[in-house]
Amino acid sequence: MKKISLVVPCYNEEESIPLFYQTVSKVITSMNTPTPTVEPEYIFVDDGSSDHTLDEMKQLHQRYPETVHYRSFSRNFGKESALAAGLQATTGDLVAVMDVDLQDPPELLPKMFALVENDGYDCVGTVQKERRGQSKLRAFLSSSFYRVINWLSDVHIEPNARDYRLMTRQYVDTVLSLPEFNRFSKGIFSWVGFKTTYLAYESQPRAAGTTHWNLRQLFAYSIEGIIDFSDAPLRLATWVGSLSFLLSIVGLIFVIVRALTVGGAVAGWPSLVVIMLLVGGIQLFCLGILGQYISKIYLETKHRPKYIIREEQ
Ligand code: UDP
Ligand code: MG
């Protein structure tokens, strides 16, 4: 009998929680027939919801005090923090992370379980196949993001991987031992290594509620990921700076030689202004990159908690 902890981050998901519990508990029951194999533990994390999400969790906890637990944040800290808080509370031999909106099909659990138990994988992740109803622009942006981050960073980040994954205790403990405040979990999961495989599945529509992501947030999230897992942009700043320095030396020599041979020229104001703007722009651009990293360092050195728990059971 293996204990399996299910970590479920929830932000304004009052409608989805009962549906989620019903669907997943059916799958668990099917895994336990004919022979009992898994014992579930649900860890719901209320990420500072403003609707009745917490009440739904409390109701479930009252009905199943042994198997359903919840942790509720003092405000919205974001999914990464919710995941960290959930993982921290798990006690199972195996741990699964799942979205509450049923976009991560629970029917995959038995297959993932078999891969960990029989084939010796430490982590089974999931990859979403082509997303129906997704705009061309969004698909293009997301594939570009994976191309850029994999080109720039040392860890490989599986394109279109979801957060839905099943992990062993050892794997989870390793992930939790990374103390960083800026948690880009897609990167952290790859960084720790271990034997990992991916299952592909068709994308599912949301069971209820609406998504919390818009294009601007996704873009900000992508930049975060790149900054957290690569220092290539910093090196880019050095290269761009060096290149413009070299070019200006060449230009200087040209000007001096021309002044000595042909004589000085007053013409050329527009080009001068353009060059000044260009160099100024490059400087600001590089300063901006530097600033991104400094702000990350600033946040890390404050040693603030990743989340604050208001109540838990
Ligand atoms: N979520 C969260 N905190 C947030 C935003 C989202 O815990 O600040 C949870 C949300 O309740 C859901 C999961 O993260 O269980 C995925 O969110 P969503 O479905 O909005 O993302 P998508 O599936 O569209 O990528
Ligand atoms: Mg979703």
Side-chain angles (χ1 to χ4, degrees), residues 13 99 101-104 162 206 210-211 213:
E13 302 275 10
D99 284 0
D101 55 18
L102 293 174
Q103 280 186 309
D104 301 334
R162 299 277 303 175
R206 244 177 178 275
T210 50
T211 177
W213 293 92

Side-chain angles (χ1 to χ4, degrees), residues 8-13 45-47 76-80 82-83 98-101 103-104 131 138 162-163 206 210-213 218:
V8 195
C10 309
Y11 178 49
N12 293 339
E13 302 275 10
V45 183
D46 165 30
D47 188 4
N76 179 250
F77 278 89
K79 188 181 177 187
E80 298 289 351
L83 285 182
M98 292 176 90
D99 284 0
V100 71
D101 55 18
Q103 280 186 309
D104 301 334
R131 300 184 212 184
R138 209 147 165 155
R162 299 277 303 175
D163 286 332
R206 244 177 178 275
T210 50
T211 177
H212 304 98
W213 293 92
L218 280 176

Side-chain angles (χ1 to χ4, degrees), residues 66-67 88 244 249 276 283 296:
E66 297 300 319
T67 46
Q88 201 82 54
S244 70
I249 295 284
M276 272 167 62
Q283 282 178 346
K296 293 275 170 190

Side-chain angles (χ1 to χ4, degrees), residues 99-121:
D99 284 0
V100 71
D101 55 18
L102 293 174
Q103 280 186 309
D104 301 334
E107 300 77 42
L108 282 182
L109 275 176
K111 216 169 168 186
M112 294 159 89
F113 181 74
L115 281 168
V116 172
E117 282 299 288
N118 308 333
D119 299 352
Y121 284 105

Side-chain angles (χ1 to χ4, degrees), residues 154-185:
D154 300 333
V155 297
H156 173 75
I157 290 172
E158 188 73 20
N160 296 323
R162 299 277 303 175
D163 286 332
Y164 183 25
R165 48 180 72 230
L166 183 71
M167 303 163 273
T168 60
R169 182 81 254 157
Q170 184 195 20
Y171 186 94
V172 172
D173 288 341
T174 312
V175 166
L176 285 173
S177 71
L178 303 187
E180 57 232 72
F181 179 80
N182 296 294
R183 297 186 83 79
F184 181 68
S185 60

